[in-house]
Amino acid sequence: MDVPREELKQIRVERPLYEHQELRDNFLYEKPIKINAAKQWTKNLRAKKIALGLFPIFDWLGKYNWKKDLVPDCISGFTVAIMHIPQGMAYAFLGNVDPVVGIYMAFFPVLIYTLFGTSRHNSLGTFSVACLMTGKAVAEYSDPLYFNTNTNSTAVPTGYKPIEVATAVTFVVAIVQLAMFVLRLGAMSALLSETLVSGFTTGAAVQVLVSQVKDLLGLELEKYKGNFVNVLTVIDVFRKITHTNMAALIISVVTITVSALNNDYLKPIVAKKSPFPFPMELVAVVAGTLVSKYCNLNENYGVKIVKTIAVGLPEPSLPPLELISNLIVDGITIAIVSYTITLSMALIFAQKLEYEVDANQEAFALSLSNFFGSFFSCMPICASLSRSLIQQVVGGVTQLASLVSCLILLVVLLWIGPFFEPLPKAVLASLIVVALKGMLLQVLDFWKFWKLSKMDALVWMGTFLTVSFVAIDIGLLVGVCLSLASIFLLSFKPHTYLLGQVPNTDFYLDVARYKAAKEIDSIKIFHYSGGINFATKTIFRDDLIRLVGINPQKEVVYRATVAKYIEKMEGTKPPAKTQVKLERAQSKVNTDLRCLVLDFSSVSYIDPSGVTMLKNIIESFTKLDIPVIIASCKEPVYEMLTKCDPDYYAKAGFRSFPTVHDAVHYCTELFRNSSNATIATIQMTE
């Protein structure tokens, strides 16, 4: 029940004036005891069954409502399976492997993820960015003879098939993600900020777009390796643009136009009337296959087609372990990117549908899925936003929908696969390009970040340009470095200001922003937001001196100068020149400040260097008979202050209070007692 506003207009609190240590003593302060990792692991094992921890499927399957949820899961699984076929075949080409590999990825690893994953709606399988990053490594280490395109004349035969390199990458990704799980490094994904991810995925979309130009135009281009592949590819495209295959170009234009119209106009109309999306991608693939087959596009017009698609399931084989040392950088990059994207989407669905997702368990599930997939001709898997959304919107409740999808794809692998052999590559390239629209439109995010923060805009642009024109892995590294640099630089710009009191209240607000807040006579309240460490201690001191208006070192000199002139002029009539110097020196002396309050309510951390600096400031102000008081000090900061010197407070001669209001009350009482003592001294003298 809401309380009427009239009853909330007056707040009155009566309590004693506390110092920080008194607060601890009176309210039974006790520092929490941290449990080490081994004890925490043992505690977790005792707290819940191992099976429920490692096999989340037992948790939701035990509560599964078979009558209510089975049909929606089956419908969702069937719908997602239809999406897997064209997407899997298309994105497999990004990885420079056979199209059937994309369907393998939607089958083998997904079976494992269903057992170990905590997200009930993520649709695992192919994802454009992860496949493209894998394709870079495949192009780098595969034998050029396995590609049906012209190769660079300087290429050296390696003897490795593209799928062997791809599975080796998957194996490395599995190891990295397992290490993330064991070391509890799920927080590493926090390094990939929204700004970085936006710039990275937009740049990757440009990479994908350029990589598909050859199939869109039906060109024969060289396979470039290393950095600046996009630039070299674009130059090669313009050099050979006159050799464009017109049949492939027509197929691309038609497919892109129809698919774009479907996404922009037909899909919204269908969504209003039915939860099931119209499978335009599958229609395009089937139509392209039939037209190619009955018009002999490959023989009559030279249109490149998919060709052989293996029937049945691949035999398990060990990835080439000798390649692992060469693929560590690629594996780490892909592992972090795929984990971050998968976890982000899992958290979105979990928050929306009110269930829990375990970040470290997700790393474990992805690790086992990729490990299993590396033995069955799979590239690293990642969650797909489009498929996951469809899986949830159509009615999917649990990962049982993924199992249904796997069963349907098993039928495709065993019997239907060869049907797609005449499919033109231009159709798959067109579907990829249309799917990139959302990622490419993220380029507009730059202006949003520019308006919000120039630093974020710099991170976005640096990441985007490096990914687009240099390389994906280098672009990710540049983005992370820029993000860390921005955090480091922002720590050198702490927010500092003076506080004033709103009359007749305990509110203390920024006097530069709140006109109703007035500074208290003879008291300066300095507010600092951020950490105080070896790197920021000078900033703290300089901002304090600037805002308070007193430099203690100079103030001591000014006062000593005044005292010298006064002593020199005692009993004599000073010359006019000396009188001018005295007045000039007296004008520099600050007599207004009688007490300094440091508001530490927003100080998150202080290190020993910061403590030493703080001691020096306190001692220098104390020499001027200006007491320094700390207010609203966080417990970890207070503990660091006392830990560095147990007798610190007694030696320094200052106090700490739990609130600014307590500190101000203490200062006013200090002034009152000082005035009373002065009056008593005068009366005794008289």
Side-chain angles (χ1 to χ4, degrees):
M1 183 176 66
D2 294 335
V3 179
R5 290 286 299 173
E6 292 75 12
E7 297 182 19
L8 296 176
K9 286 185 177 180
Q10 295 293 330
I11 296 178
R12 185 181 297 277
V13 178
E14 293 185 1
R15 61 170 176 80
L17 180 68
Y18 285 109
E19 289 191 44
H20 202 121
Q21 191 57 47
E22 289 177 331
L23 193 75
R24 285 181 157 200
D25 296 338
N26 290 2
F27 296 105
L28 307 178
Y29 172 80
E30 183 178 341
K31 185 177 180 180
I33 300 175
K34 293 184 178 180
I35 303 176
N36 61 38
K39 290 183 178 179
Q40 185 66 42
W41 178 260
T42 305
K43 182 180 178 181
N44 289 339
L45 290 181
R46 293 173 181 172
K48 58 184 178 182
K49 295 180 180 179
I50 298 177
L52 290 179
L54 295 179
F55 297 90
I57 187 175
F58 293 147
D59 183 28
W60 59 260
L61 195 59
K63 308 170 186 176
Y64 193 78
N65 190 329
W66 293 94
K67 293 182 179 180
K68 179 181 178 182
D69 299 334
L70 181 59
V71 173
D73 273 340
C74 289
I75 295 174
S76 176
F78 178 79
T79 306
V80 171
I82 292 175
M83 295 182 67
H84 267 301
I85 297 171
Q87 286 190 4
M89 297 175 68
Y91 292 150
F93 275 114
L94 292 178
N96 292 314
V97 293
D98 294 334
V100 71
V101 172
I103 302 179
Y104 292 159
M105 293 169 62
F107 180 74
F108 292 105
V110 173
L111 291 175
I112 303 300
Y113 182 83
T114 302
L115 297 175
F116 296 95
T118 56
S119 174
R120 302 176 190 176
H121 297 88
N122 268 357
S123 175
L124 277 295
T126 55
F127 183 68
S128 58
V129 176
C131 290
L132 181 67
M133 297 172 72
T134 305
K136 172 184 172 295
V138 171
E140 185 77 21
Y141 297 102
S142 298
D143 196 313
L145 297 177
Y146 285 99
F147 294 107
N148 294 323
T149 59
N150 294 331
T151 57
N152 196 305
S153 58
T154 60
V156 179
T158 63
Y160 294 109
K161 299 178 181 178
I163 191 59
E164 290 178 331
V165 179
T167 55
V169 173
T170 308
F171 189 82
V172 175
V173 169
I175 294 175
V176 174
Q177 290 174 336
L178 181 61
M180 292 171 63
F181 165 72
V182 173
L183 300 175
R184 295 296 189 263
L185 295 179
M188 284 179 60
S189 61
L191 293 176
L192 304 185
S193 63
E194 178 189 357
T195 308
L196 189 154
V197 171
S198 175
F200 176 80
T201 53
T202 308
V206 174
Q207 284 265 10
V208 173
L209 179 63
V210 173
S211 70
Q212 297 307 299
V213 171
K214 68 179 189 305
D215 290 327
L216 292 173
L217 303 179
L219 297 174
E220 294 285 345
L221 303 180
E222 293 183 359
K223 278 284 183 183
Y224 294 101
K225 301 179 181 180
N227 301 328
F228 303 102
V229 171
N230 259 11
V231 177
L232 297 173
T233 301
V234 171
I235 293 173
D236 205 12
V237 167
F238 281 105
R239 187 186 299 126
K240 299 180 179 179
I241 194 70
T242 55
H243 298 87
T244 299
N245 186 307
M246 296 309 297
L249 179 60
I250 293 172
I251 293 172
S252 301
V253 171
V254 171
T255 306
I256 291 175
T257 302
V258 174
S259 298
L261 290 175
N262 169 71
N263 290 342
D264 293 339
Y265 299 102
L266 181 59
K267 186 178 289 186
I269 295 175
V270 173
K272 293 179 181 179
K273 299 182 179 180
S274 171
F276 306 106
F278 182 71
M280 177 56 72
E281 293 85 357
L282 184 61
V283 171
V285 168
V286 172
T289 302
L290 294 175
V291 171
S292 176
K293 180 178 181 179
Y294 292 107
C295 295
N296 295 318
L297 296 182
N298 180 246
E299 294 82 0
N300 297 336
Y301 302 99
V303 175
K304 291 185 289 185
I305 60 175
V306 171
K307 294 186 178 179
T308 306
I309 294 181
V311 179
L313 302 178
E315 295 184 2
S317 60
L318 185 68
L321 301 181
E322 62 274 11
L323 272 177
I324 289 179
S325 59
N326 298 326
L327 298 171
I328 291 177
V329 175
D330 296 284
I332 293 175
T333 306
I334 298 170
I336 294 175
V337 170
S338 60
Y339 171 75
T340 301
I341 294 173
T342 301
L343 179 62
S344 299
M345 294 173 54
L347 292 173
I348 291 173
F349 289 115
Q351 183 178 11
K352 179 179 179 181
L353 300 169
E354 299 180 350
Y355 64 88
E356 295 294 326
V357 167
D358 188 330
N360 282 302
Q361 180 66 22
E362 284 296 297
F364 183 62
L366 285 175
S367 171
L368 293 184
S369 301
N370 283 315
F371 181 79
F372 185 70
S374 68
F375 291 90
F376 290 93
S377 303
C378 292
M379 294 187 292
I381 62 168
C382 182
S384 164
L385 177 60
S386 59
R387 293 195 307 268
S388 300
L389 282 174
I390 292 299
Q391 182 166 317
Q392 186 265 321
V393 170
V394 170
V397 181
T398 65
Q399 281 294 337
L400 191 64
S402 296
L403 290 179
V404 174
S405 176
C406 288
L407 291 176
I408 296 171
L409 292 175
L410 180 62
V411 175
V412 175
L413 290 170
L414 293 178
W415 293 289
I416 303 177
F419 169 78
F420 298 105
E421 290 180 355
L423 175 64
K425 290 185 178 180
V427 173
L428 295 178
S430 300
L431 295 178
I432 291 175
V433 170
V434 173
L436 291 175
K437 178 184 176 182
M439 294 173 65
L440 290 172
L441 287 178
Q442 288 179 156
V443 73
L444 300 176
D445 288 350
F446 173 75
W447 302 112
K448 178 185 74 174
F449 293 122
W450 179 264
K451 294 177 181 178
L452 296 175
S453 168
K454 303 298 186 291
M455 189 68 71
D456 281 348
L458 177 62
V459 173
W460 191 98
M461 185 56 70
T463 306
F464 169 74
L465 292 177
T466 310
V467 172
S468 299
F469 296 106
V470 183
I472 287 185
D473 50 355
I474 295 178
L476 181 62
L477 178 62
V478 168
V480 171
C481 291
L482 288 174
S483 295
L484 294 177
S486 67
I487 295 173
F488 184 72
L489 291 174
L490 288 174
S491 69
F492 279 88
K493 296 178 63 178
H495 189 41
T496 58
Y497 52 87
L498 291 179
L499 295 177
Q501 184 183 26
V502 178
N504 302 319
T505 72
D506 60 349
F507 288 134
Y508 293 86
L509 306 175
D510 183 358
V511 293
R513 296 173 183 265
Y514 291 88
K515 303 307 178 185
K518 305 297 180 183
E519 289 192 61
I520 303 171
D521 291 339
S522 303
I523 301 175
K524 293 285 187 182
I525 308 172
F526 175 74
H527 178 92
Y528 180 93
S529 298
I532 305 175
N533 51 52
F534 67 94
T536 59
K537 62 181 183 180
T538 303
I539 299 173
F540 178 92
R541 185 188 63 217
D542 293 345
D543 281 7
L544 174 65
I545 292 172
R546 175 177 57 84
L547 291 173
V548 172
I550 295 181
N551 186 326
Q553 285 76 21
K554 293 182 179 180
E555 188 72 18
V556 170
V557 175
Y558 297 153
R559 295 190 180 189
T561 303
V562 171
K564 183 183 69 172
Y565 282 123
I566 292 176
E567 183 180 357
K568 184 184 296 186
M569 294 186 303
E570 280 185 358
T572 63
K573 184 177 180 181
K577 187 175 182 180
T578 304
Q579 184 69 32
V580 171
K581 289 182 178 180
L582 173 61
E583 292 175 357
R584 187 181 301 162
Q586 287 176 331
S587 66
K588 295 180 179 180
V589 175
N590 190 311
T591 58
D592 296 332
L593 182 61
R594 297 180 61 190
C595 187
L596 175 60
V597 177
L598 304 179
D599 178 16
F600 273 21
S601 60
S602 298
V603 174
S604 56
Y605 171 77
I606 188 169
D607 69 355
S609 298
V611 173
T612 302
M613 178 274 303
L614 192 59
K615 286 182 181 181
N616 294 335
I617 288 178
I618 292 170
E619 291 169 359
S620 61
F621 274 97
T622 304
K623 290 178 182 178
L624 302 174
D625 295 325
I626 300 175
V628 179
I629 299 171
I630 291 180
S632 303
C633 188
K634 298 285 193 299
E635 290 296 341
V637 176
Y638 184 85
E639 288 165 5
M640 179 60 72
L641 292 173
T642 55
K643 188 187 299 182
C644 289
D645 188 346
D647 300 326
Y648 175 55
Y649 292 99
K651 292 179 180 178
F654 81 100
R655 300 174 182 276
S656 176
F657 292 88
T659 69
V660 173
H661 201 51
D662 286 291
V664 170
H665 269 287
Y666 172 77
C667 290
T668 54
E669 290 295 326
L670 193 65
F671 299 160
R672 186 179 295 111
N673 294 335
S674 176
S675 300
N676 293 338
T678 302
I679 294 172
T681 302
I682 294 173
Q683 290 175 347
M684 289 176 63
T685 303
E686 293 176 347

